[in-house]
Amino acid sequence: MRISNFIGGEFVAPKSGAYFPDINPATAQPIADVPDSDAADVDAAVAAAKNAFPVWSRTTAEERSRILLRLADLIEQNLDDLARIESRDNGKPLSLARALDIPRAVANFRFFATAILHHASAAHITDTTALNYTLRQPLGVAGLISPWNLPLYLLSWKIAPAIASGNTCVAKPSELTPLTADRLAQLSLEAGVPAGVMNIVHGYGAKAGAALVEHRDVPMISFTGGTVTGARVAASAAPMFKKLSLELGGKNPTVVFADADLNDAIRTSLRSAFWNQGEICLCGSRVFVERSIYDQFVDAFTEGAKKLKIGDPSDESTQVGALISEAHLHKVLGYIELAKEEGGTIVAGGSRVDRDGYFVEPTVITGLGCDRRVLQEEIFGPVVTITPFDHEEEAVAFANSTRYGLSASLWTRDLKRAHRVAAAIDSGTVWINCWLLRDLRVPFGGAKDSGVGREGGFESLEFFTEAKNVCVKLG
Ligand code: NAD
């Protein structure tokens, strides 16, 4: 199978004629040829998007909404097909793609399709002198760059608000998981998205991604990916004064106090550690447990981790699939070795699974302090540390002890403490007695090195439009 770029409503080959293989992580076998696009392809896509902008930006919100709702319906009608594609492309369990990735992509299109119908803009009356109102206008061509871990979900999180608010876009999905984006392009034609409104250029980040960030005719970049890449994107976008949203890495704490509902805390923190093989930016990879329940927690958590079923992602009972690539597999195994060198104890997992593909056992590590590299650096795999704490201040200090600040999950029945600790943790999201619950109206993003700006709900509509103040003299 060979996929193409999607430019101006047509599927086209990369100008260079070059392709690279897309590998199924669960078999280590190639499943598709992917365009190795370069600046010339990005140029063509930006030109198509620029061309489509005048008409699309003047299309009524009602009509844009209707088209995007049709696209949401089509994704939903093709849910099973898309989930299978995503599972093969990414290595994640099919059941997870069906329950999480694809339904959330549907929700993204539905939410932004309807949000534009209800988005109000402010008016300020200056006594009897003047009326100021805020005109929100789309900016033009949005550059959208997304990672491989939740491919369609995160791509649609950007495409939906960008085009709903009247921009056109050029999206560059991860080179490791291009297949659902390709299917989305086909569905967009069926839904009636006009040619040039949504363009997709496949290829490597350093080539196609960088060309998109550097393109003069792309005034805004929404990027989700690693912190190191985010810094590079920021460095090239800043001198061109582009609007920039960066959703970056995480090293998220799960903090369990002794008064928590322990069964719920263990069940949910197992999910938050190992769902999607730990490859969700919001996964809780550092677990901190109050000392009085530490042993009990470690025993139950370890037992739960050992019971998780690893295997063929297409098997309905599989809970842990394959890591995304061979390079990532070696990175994750390297951190497990490092944990041993740093003096940690592996109490569950710790090894590669003996089968084709890139499988690593759910791994639980104890005995490491917060300053160890394993607790400081994002591993982005099924590897979690558990560390005891003695009091609330220490729990907060441990939670805040990394450069990251994406999300946190707190477990306690003490209402006052829950609010106090939530306010003290430096992160964009704090979940109390839960994890990964989502309301599309809330601002989403990271603190510290986990990102700049907020997306989600009306925040995304504001990112993808520019506010203009219009001042009218009264009288
Ligand atoms: P990555 O940074 O390697 O790549 C992300 C995207 O950027 C890909 O499409 C890639 O091709 C592109 N890219 C790479 N170099 C580029 C460059 N120089 N210029 C422009 N684009 C470039 O990240 P990844 O490995 O695909 O994804 C994993 C990372 O993403 C993890 O760090 C994870 O925490 C993070 N992530 C964050 C969020 C969030 O919402 N904060 C969500 C999901 C994933």
Side-chain angles (χ1 to χ4, degrees), residues 203-357:
Y204 292 113
K207 208 195 268 185
L212 184 56
V213 174
E214 286 157 16
H215 204 290
R216 283 265 157 219
D217 291 336
V218 177
M220 62 200 136
I221 298 289
S222 172
F223 171 87
T224 299
T227 293
V228 172
T229 320
R232 260 185 227 133
V233 167
S236 23
M240 298 167 85
F241 309 109
K242 298 192 177 204
K243 267 190 116 174
L244 193 58
S245 163
L246 299 172
E247 303 285 353
L248 309 177
K251 188 75 182 172
N252 312 302
T254 299
V255 180
V256 186
F257 288 94
D259 67 347
D261 175 338
L262 208 53
N263 286 336
D264 197 6
I266 290 166
R267 200 174 44 242
T268 309
S269 49
L270 273 167
R271 202 159 50 92
S272 104
F274 300 121
W275 238 23
N276 210 42
Q277 302 72 244
E279 295 169 328
I280 300 181
C281 55
L282 304 164
C283 274
S285 54
R286 295 178 300 141
V287 181
F288 300 110
V289 181
E290 196 161 358
R291 197 175 296 276
S292 60
I293 56 159
Y294 178 76
D295 289 341
Q296 190 189 351
F297 184 96
V298 171
D299 288 349
F301 189 92
T302 304
E303 198 185 317
K306 286 179 179 163
K307 278 192 192 142
L308 291 171
K309 188 168 173 232
I310 316 172
D312 178 355
S314 66
D315 182 333
E316 296 291 342
S317 61
T318 292
Q319 293 167 295
V320 179
L323 295 181
I324 185 66
S325 65
E326 189 170 5
H328 193 54
L329 168 91
H330 291 299
K331 175 184 159 184
V332 171
L333 291 173
Y335 274 105
I336 296 172
E337 283 313 302
L338 179 66
K340 293 180 200 161
E341 283 163 30
E342 287 186 324
T345 306
I346 312 291
V347 291
S351 303
R352 181 176 184 175
V353 178
D354 185 19
R355 56 177 294 151
D356 288 343

Side-chain angles (χ1 to χ4, degrees), residues 34 47 54 191 204 223 231 343 367 375 398-399 411 418 438 460:
V34 186
Y204 292 113
F223 171 87
L375 277 87
F398 285 180
W411 292 86
R438 181 168 91 144
S460 288

